[in-house]
């Protein structure tokens, strides 16, 4: 999901997706991509892959939007070598000022970690991206920003698909 930093929700009973058009935004605001992870590996196409590494590589190789800040947060599970590898991926693509790593030693709470990441983020927009996801559309972030900038829109969620094409989540 993506939302402007500091946005507070309110309900508009007359809003519907039919009323949304995406004219495009003229500026390119900084988007903080917050990725919670434990650095777990999973077999993908018969090969064990570290999810957060694949997530970052896919994001940075697929996505056209480049004004990104990457904020990775874990609970102490990731090795220093993996953290260094992730940092290098980001630095090579976006520069050293676009990488943040946070460690949260508190008992696991997704919302606590996301709130911590949001507080440490400097972007105008916050994008929550789970480490087991991949952006499939080069203009995915641009499209979410376009919709998020419409009147009466505060949060935008993407369509999430399982690897076999079934719908996992239909967005917000």
């Amino acid at each position: 999901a993506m939302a402007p930093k500091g946005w507070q929700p309110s309900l508009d009973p007359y809003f519907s997706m039919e009323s949304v058009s995406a004219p495009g935004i003229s500026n390119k605001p900084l988007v903080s991509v917050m990725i919670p992870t434990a650095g777990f590996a999973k077999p993908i196409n018969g090969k064990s892959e570290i999810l957060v590494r694949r997530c970052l590589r896919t994001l940075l190789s697929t996505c056209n939007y480049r004004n990104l800040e990457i904020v990775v947060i874990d609970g102490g599970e990731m090795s220093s070598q993996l953290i260094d590898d992730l940092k290098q991926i980001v630095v090579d693509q976006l520069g050293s000022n676009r990488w943040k790593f946070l460690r949260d030693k508190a008992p696991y709470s997704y919302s606590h970690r996301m709130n911590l990441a949001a507080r440490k983020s400097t972007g105008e927009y916050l994008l929550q991206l789970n480490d087991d996801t991949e952006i499939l559309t080069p203009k995915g972030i641009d499209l979410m920003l376009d919709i998020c900038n419409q009147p009466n829109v505060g949060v935008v969620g993407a369509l999430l698909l399982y690897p076999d094409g079934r719908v996992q989540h239909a967005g917000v």
Side-chain angles (χ1 to χ4, degrees):
M2 177 185 286
K5 192 169 186 177
W7 173 78
Q8 294 296 316
S10 65
L11 296 176
D12 179 350
Y14 303 105
F15 176 78
S16 71
M17 285 307 291
E18 288 90 35
S19 66
V20 172
S21 63
I25 54 174
S26 57
N27 65 344
K28 295 286 186 187
L30 181 64
V31 174
S32 295
V33 181
M34 306 178 306
I35 307 172
T37 188
F40 294 138
K42 178 180 169 182
I44 299 174
N45 299 324
K47 179 183 169 192
S48 180
E49 294 214 36
I50 295 175
L51 295 174
V52 66
R53 181 183 289 138
R54 182 179 176 97
C55 174
L56 273 178
R57 283 186 176 151
T58 304
L59 169 70
L60 296 174
S61 67
T62 302
C63 183
N64 290 340
Y65 198 88
R66 306 312 284 176
N67 198 14
L68 303 172
E69 169 187 65
I70 307 299
V71 182
V72 173
I73 184 166
D74 85 338
E77 304 89 353
M78 291 198 304
S79 70
S80 58
Q81 179 61 51
L82 177 56
I83 296 165
D84 289 344
D85 290 349
L86 299 175
K87 178 180 180 180
Q88 195 60 53
I89 292 167
V90 173
V91 168
D92 288 348
Q93 294 286 319
L94 301 174
S96 61
N97 63 335
R98 299 302 177 87
W99 164 257
K100 288 186 180 173
F101 173 72
L102 307 171
R103 180 151 278 168
D104 180 22
K105 292 288 197 163
Y108 179 77
S109 165
Y110 181 84
S111 58
H112 177 75
R113 287 194 184 166
M114 288 293 90
N115 286 328
L116 178 60
R119 282 193 300 273
K120 299 294 184 178
S121 296
T122 59
E124 187 177 339
Y125 289 84
L126 304 174
L127 172 60
Q128 294 180 354
L129 190 63
N130 286 351
D131 67 355
D132 63 347
T133 60
E134 299 176 31
I135 291 191
L136 303 175
T137 306
K139 291 188 175 251
I141 291 176
D142 294 279
L143 293 170
M144 287 192 289
L145 280 169
D146 287 345
I147 295 169
C148 204
N149 276 285
Q150 298 302 304
N152 301 317
V153 175
V155 177
V156 176
L159 173 67
L160 300 179
L161 302 174
Y162 288 109
D164 66 4
R166 291 179 298 130
V167 174
Q168 178 182 11
H169 192 282
V172 177

